[in-house]
Each structure stands twice: as C-alpha cells, then as structure tokens.
Amino acid sequence: MPQGRPRILVPGKINKRVLDRLPDHFEPVFVAAVDPALITPELATGVSGIAVQGKVSADFMDAFRNLEIIANFGVGYDGVDAAHAGRKGITVTNTPDVLTEEVADTTIGLLLNTVRQLPQAENWLRAGRWVREGAFALSPLTLRGRTVGLYGMGRIGLAIAKRVESFGVAIHYHTRTPREGLAYTYHPTLKGMAEAVDTIIVIVPGTESTAKTINAEILVALGANGVLINVGRGSTVDEAALTDALKRGVIAGAGLDVFENEPHVGEDLMALENVSLLPHVGSASQATRDAMADLVVDNLVAWFTTGKALTPVPETPFTRKAG
Ligand code: DGY
C-alpha cells in the first residue's frame, strides 16, 4: 500500500483548476498520455487515483496495482471503461448536475442557430454584405409549429425540455422506459418518435446500445422538414449517413456540438450550408468548467477522507476498504 499523501496521476491534459487544486490534498504525478507503456514500476504501485479528462482504457487500469478511484472530468464517462473498473473494484466518478443548465442553454442556442441560420446571418453582417448586397436571405426553416422529440430524458434532457416548453411547441420523447410524471408524449421506439416529430434533440449517453442509433432509417423517418440536434455524443449518430441525408435533402438541417472523431470533423459535413457546427462547447463556460473541476477534486478528497465518493457512476457503487 502506498504511504503518505495519495498519489493522483493525471494522464495527458486536464482543466487547469484541477491541476491548481490537486496539490492542496494530494501528490500529483503526470504522464503525457493514457499509455500503459509510460507507467514505471514506481507509478504502478504508487498511484491510488487518476484524474482524467479523456479516455481510460482497461489495459491502462490494469497497469496499476493499487488504483482505487478514477475521477472523470465530464458527466459523460464513455471514455472510461467503467464496466472493467466495476469488475476490478475501482470507483469511477463523473460530474453530473453542475453542468445540466449550461448544456441545456447551449442546446437551445444551437437549435435556434440551426433553424434560423443566425451564425450565417452574423457572418453576412461582418463581411459587409448587408451594406453591399442588402438583407440576409430569409431562413427556410423556423421553430414555429415544430414538434420536438428528445432522444434521452435524463437530467439534461429534462432541463432542455423545460426550455423547449417555453417556445410553445409540442414535446415528445424516447427513452427505454417512460419517465413517471412527465406530460410529454412518450414513444417506446426511436423510429416511432422520428415518424411523429420533425425535430430530434439527441441527449443520450454514448454507450454500446446508443451507438449509431441515429442512422439512415431514422433520418428518413424524420423527413424532409427534419432537423437533428446532437449535444450528447458523436458516437450516437452515423455521421456518414447524416452527411448523405443532409446533402440529398432527406432531412432539412442539423446542429452538432459533438462528433464521431473529435476534434476532426468531416470535410463533407463542414462544406454543407444546412448545418450549424460547434466544437463541443455544451458545458464550456468558465463558471461551469470550474464547477466540474471542483467536483473532480472533491470526489477524490471525499474518497480518501470519508471512504465514499460524492458522485460515483452506477457501475461502481463502492465504498473504500479500510487500510
Ligand atoms: C460532458 O460533461 O460529458 C460534456 O460533454 C462536456 O465534456
């Protein structure tokens, strides 16, 4: 067992506030990347925790003998193999709640940018075209009269739905099981919801069961007036099928904050006029990222002082073993 202050490994880059706060409680140690080949014998036995903003694979976890906890920066923890951690008795934490309202705000911005082409309109003004050429073209799409379907109705989904309600549009949702007490129209299948709505907002986590579930068939069901917004994970959308659907007018437009292969975005997708693209900024305000950083560190502190993490993920409901 390692002695003294717990050693927390930071592989690769992480939010600066995490780096600033770790030395108050721990001995931080660093490697350049999540690569088991970088783990020296001293780190293999000396590290008790990992703070990470990115991926932690099973083989990386296996490189440590006394690893107790992995604190993930982000509510989505698809980059961390939590099932493997669960089997090994390693606790994984994420950062729920503190980013809910921020991500919901961003989603509304992206939705409006997509249907009303507001970024394009601003570019028109900035390029001097308003003066030279006159008014920006009318947006072919509007939010008026739309029916919005949420794919996912967790904490962030609910916060988005609450905001969408205020636009006076109908709200539907699809999840595996209906959420009690919700007045929105429930669909047991994604296809059924896609057929019933003209706008889908994706806010499911990136898991094996959601991977590429927004595919060509769903886009056809969404239809020619359809708008797809994705603020969940890029892995949920078949990006090639989406690009093709946008090119051929199978759907009308898309707003994306997340992508299959971040930070790389397909050139075909970038060339399209009917998309609004953001570089994964759903939670990216200073205040919210500070709160996420605090929760990463506070989870580690709680684990090593009280034996219980503040926000463990469901796969790892562990308490710390004494000693
Ligand atoms: C999350 O927390 O999962 C958001 O996507 C920001 O990284």
Side-chain angles (χ1 to χ4, degrees):
M1 255 306 167
Q3 300 295 311
R5 300 214 302 173
R7 269 197 194 174
I8 304 296
L9 179 76
V10 179
K13 289 192 183 144
I14 198 162
N15 177 283
K16 182 173 174 302
R17 189 173 171 103
V18 176
L19 297 177
D20 289 345
R21 282 199 55 201
L22 280 177
D24 294 341
H25 311 272
F26 304 106
E27 186 191 334
V29 285
F30 303 93
V31 289
V34 174
D35 178 355
L38 300 175
I39 304 308
T40 59
E42 205 203 347
L43 290 176
T45 52
V47 164
S48 332
I50 292 177
V52 71
Q53 185 168 356
K55 293 189 185 338
V56 179
S57 54
D59 63 341
F60 194 67
M61 283 179 223
D62 291 345
F64 302 92
R65 300 242 294 275
N66 298 304
L67 182 61
E68 298 178 33
I69 181 166
I70 300 168
N72 179 64
F73 183 95
V75 68
Y77 54 98
D78 44 299
V80 178
D81 191 335
H84 189 70
R87 284 189 290 272
K88 292 189 68 125
I90 298 168
T91 292
V92 176
T93 65
N94 65 343
T95 61
D97 299 320
V98 293
L99 46 54
T100 299
E101 306 299 330
E102 195 78 71
V103 176
D105 291 347
T106 310
T107 307
I108 297 304
L110 183 57
L111 174 64
L112 290 173
N113 281 353
T114 305
V115 293
R116 293 300 325 287
Q117 300 188 325
L118 300 178
Q120 294 93 321
E122 181 169 350
N123 288 342
W124 181 266
L125 178 155
R126 285 178 184 277
R129 297 182 72 180
W130 193 11
V131 174
R132 285 198 313 273
E133 301 173 47
F136 181 67
L138 305 182
S139 70
L141 304 179
T142 173
L143 195 59
R144 298 300 90 223
R146 282 194 173 266
T147 303
V148 175
L150 273 101
Y151 176 24
M153 193 53 91
R155 285 172 276 222
I156 301 175
L158 270 178
I160 295 170
K162 229 191 294 162
R163 285 160 174 73
V164 173
E165 263 187 52
S166 69
F167 290 110
V169 300
I171 303 178
H172 295 217
Y173 75 107
H174 163 66
T175 50
R176 271 177 303 198
T177 48
R179 248 190 112 126
E180 236 171 83
L182 275 194
Y184 312 132
T185 308
Y186 174 71
H187 294 270
T189 67
L190 178 57
K191 180 138 183 250
M193 183 176 80
E195 282 166 348
V197 304
D198 52 31
T199 307
I200 291 180
I201 299 176
V202 180
I203 186 61
V204 280
T207 63
E208 264 173 39
S209 63
T210 59
K212 293 202 185 204
T213 42
I214 298 285
N215 55 25
E217 190 191 11
I218 298 298
L219 295 169
V220 168
L222 186 57
N225 190 34
V227 169
L228 179 81
I229 305 294
N230 188 8
V231 287
R233 281 293 179 263
S235 59
T236 306
V237 174
D238 180 337
E239 220 164 87
L242 173 65
T243 306
D244 180 60
L246 287 161
K247 270 190 201 161
R248 294 193 298 111
V250 172
I251 66 166
L256 308 173
D257 183 45
V258 289
F259 301 88
E260 255 176 23
N261 184 27
E262 295 176 12
H264 304 285
V265 178
E267 277 176 28
D268 277 12
L269 195 53
M270 283 219 263
L272 294 173
E273 297 275 331
N274 53 348
V275 292
S276 187
L277 306 173
L278 295 176
H280 200 150
V281 293
S283 63
S285 71
Q286 187 69 54
T288 294
R289 288 290 169 90
D290 281 356
M292 292 163 68
D294 283 343
L295 190 47
V296 168
V297 178
D298 292 346
N299 262 304
L300 292 168
V301 171
W303 179 258
F304 288 104
T305 56
T306 71
K308 242 176 124 33
L310 302 175
T311 53
V313 304
E315 293 90 331
T316 66
F318 307 132
T319 48
R320 190 170 188 234
K321 289 183 194 79

